[in-house]
Each structure stands twice: as C-alpha cells, then as structure tokens.
Amino acid sequence: MAFFLNSFGVIDETLKPREPQIFLALPNRKIIGKLNHFIYKPNHIINFGSLNEIEFRMPYDIEDTLEHKLIRNPYIDKILERFLLKLVLDDVEEWYVINNINDDVDEQSDIKKVHAYSLGFELADKLIREYKEVVSLWQVANELVSDTLWTVGKIDDKFTLKYRNFDVSETTALEFLDTISTTFGTLIEYDTVNRKIHFRDPDKLNKYDGLIIGYGKYLKTLDKTSTSDEMVTRMYVYGK
C-alpha cells in the first residue's frame, strides 16, 4: 500500500497504490517478457542505504482464461539464477539480479519462490584479499570497483577531504562497500541503470519537502529497518 502524507501528516488511505511493472531479462539486459500476469504475491522491499529486494511466487501452471483450463506457465522454465529483473514504476527504472530460486511442491500446488537483490549485488562476485591503506573516499571507492562493471558516481562535498584507515582481508567488494559507508558515515545510492555508486550525506536527506512514501520511494510501508548487514545466509530445510 502507498501512503500519501499532506503537510499536516494526515494519511490519505483512499488512494490506490501504483503497482510496479516487472520484466524478466537475460544477463545482457535483453528483455524476455513481462511477468506481472504470471506471478503472484510480489514483494518490493526498499532498504534505505542498502540493496533493495524483490521476491515473488511463480506457479508452474496458470489458467487459460479462453479455454478455461490449466496450462504450463510460459516463464517457469525461463527464469534462472543470475538472470535480471527490470522494475518500472512511472519514470523510475531499477534493475535486479536473481540470486535465489526455490521449488515449493506439495499436493495442492507447484510453485517457484524467486528472490532478487538490486544490481549492486554483482559486487559480491569480486573478492578483496587484503587492503591496508589510509585513503580518501574517492580513492578507496574507485579501487573497490576496479575490474568490475561499476563506477563511482557523485560524492557529496562533506566527504571529499576526509581520510580513513582500512585494514581489511578476505571480504567481497559488496561487504567492503558497507564498511566504507559506515567508516565515512555516508549513505550509498545504487544507480542500477548506469551501474554507478553514489555516496550521499545522510543529513541532506532528512529535510522535509512534502515527501511521498510509496513504491519507488524511500519506504514501502511505515516500518523502518536499520541494519549494517543486509547480506545473510538462508537455510531451507525440507522433508520429514
């Protein structure tokens, strides 16, 4: 549900939420097709300053409304790990990479559970074995994204003259990026369309300008979660 706040902080719950459009794409961003009519229970999770997430369920069989019978979902065999999802809401576009697919089969239905992180998850593929330097934010960020598809975007003026000491070993570039953000006190903004990482001043984002809270904005609901470790290990146990 999207909530719209007026200047007095009153929530207008009569307005309908705008649903994001979700497209399946190959790793090279070539669109395979639109998924909205072939999935259900989509959940778009906005994590402020960290990787956003999408999760949904995809049935193996769907109803053919013309012949009134069940047919195989045309996308059930096309959706694979490392494939991309394109989310579009109005003029906002964001890319995600599928990182987890689970089959959930029982007597009533057969479905796939799909989870994807925003495209910055690609940085988890780069391993940093050792980094011991006293550096500026610009220097360490550029060294972090070297040999990747990502580049450093805007860095707020507050951080340009600051230097910090790092002593890191055996970590991924994505985990190191969280360390950099915490050390300098920045908020990370991922531009998944252009594969750019921006470092923002949190103080500049607290100013009230008639904020609209909804899909594609800073929060999806009125719950706020703050965590320094969005990347977790999940274990799914099946059977008796």
Side-chain angles (χ1 to χ4, degrees), residues 129-140:
R129 297 191 180 279
E130 187 174 12
Y131 191 92
K132 296 181 180 181
E133 299 285 347
V134 177
V135 289
S136 66
L137 176 53
W138 182 90
Q139 181 180 349
V140 67

Side-chain angles (χ1 to χ4, degrees), residues 19-23 86-94:
E19 293 290 343
Q21 306 302 304
I22 303 174
F23 300 84
K86 178 183 177 181
L87 183 145
V88 178
L89 178 65
D90 297 333
D91 59 346
V92 177
E93 176 182 322
E94 188 173 11

Side-chain angles (χ1 to χ4, degrees), residues 142-155:
N142 276 278
E143 291 179 359
L144 180 143
V145 299
S146 64
D147 300 322
T148 74
L149 298 174
W150 288 77
T151 59
V152 177
K154 297 180 180 179
I155 298 177

Side-chain angles (χ1 to χ4, degrees), residues 193-207:
V193 175
N194 301 297
R195 283 190 170 98
K196 289 184 177 292
I197 303 170
H198 306 294
F199 295 89
R200 304 298 191 185
D201 180 358
D203 295 335
K204 292 184 178 180
L205 300 178
N206 291 333
K207 182 180 178 181

Side-chain angles (χ1 to χ4, degrees), residues 77-210:
D77 299 313
K78 296 180 180 180
I79 195 160
L80 301 170
E81 291 183 359
R82 309 302 295 187
F83 274 33
L84 304 184
L85 298 174
K86 178 183 177 181
L87 183 145
V88 178
L89 178 65
D90 297 333
D91 59 346
V92 177
E93 176 182 322
E94 188 173 11
W95 287 85
Y96 292 75
V97 56
I98 297 173
N99 74 299
N100 192 286
I101 300 175
N102 284 298
D103 286 305
D104 189 356
V105 180
D106 58 32
E107 295 179 353
Q108 297 181 344
S109 64
D110 298 340
I111 62 171
K112 281 186 177 181
K113 296 179 181 178
V114 180
H115 181 275
Y117 282 112
S118 58
L119 201 59
F121 187 72
E122 291 176 332
L123 294 169
D125 294 334
K126 179 180 178 180
L127 181 63
I128 297 176
R129 297 191 180 279
E130 187 174 12
Y131 191 92
K132 296 181 180 181
E133 299 285 347
V134 177
V135 289
S136 66
L137 176 53
W138 182 90
Q139 181 180 349
V140 67
N142 276 278
E143 291 179 359
L144 180 143
V145 299
S146 64
D147 300 322
T148 74
L149 298 174
W150 288 77
T151 59
V152 177
K154 297 180 180 179
I155 298 177
D156 282 353
D157 294 340
K158 177 179 179 179
F159 308 107
T160 55
L161 298 179
K162 291 185 176 181
Y163 287 77
R164 294 292 184 268
N165 178 57
F166 291 93
D167 187 353
V168 176
S169 62
E170 288 296 332
T171 187
T172 68
L174 183 60
E175 293 170 336
F176 191 22
L177 188 59
D178 285 337
T179 300
I180 293 171
S181 177
T182 301
T183 303
F184 281 95
T186 73
L187 271 177
I188 299 173
E189 178 184 322
Y190 292 94
D191 177 355
T192 60
V193 175
N194 301 297
R195 283 190 170 98
K196 289 184 177 292
I197 303 170
H198 306 294
F199 295 89
R200 304 298 191 185
D201 180 358
D203 295 335
K204 292 184 178 180
L205 300 178
N206 291 333
K207 182 180 178 181
Y208 175 73
D209 290 313

